[in-house]
Amino acid sequence: MPNIKSAKKRVLVNKTKAAQNKTARSALKTDIKKFEAAVAEGNRSEADSAYKVAVKAVDKAVLRGLLHKNNGSRKKSAMTIKLNKLA
């Protein structure tokens, strides 16, 4: 445990930020899984709405720094390909 006041504060801030990142990462995975489930089910209308939500979640994750921009692009591309194959 740190002794310096600013270092103590950094520990608290890092703990808070880690919790926020974990929550956001979990929500992102949930959105992607919902899209995958809709595609596996073969439901086009449900897949369309889940796709929009998932792409928005990926974009937010990239802006927050949870995902690298290339990783985000790769995820969106893969989802788009899956959606187009469903048609």
Side-chain angles (χ1 to χ4, degrees), residues 54-81:
V55 166
K56 189 173 181 179
V58 168
D59 286 338
K60 270 189 178 179
V62 169
L63 284 177
R64 289 180 178 162
L66 294 174
L67 294 176
H68 189 274
K69 67 176 187 171
N70 291 349
N71 190 341
S73 294
R74 186 169 52 83
K75 286 185 187 302
K76 291 193 298 185
S77 176
M79 286 190 289
T80 304
I81 290 168

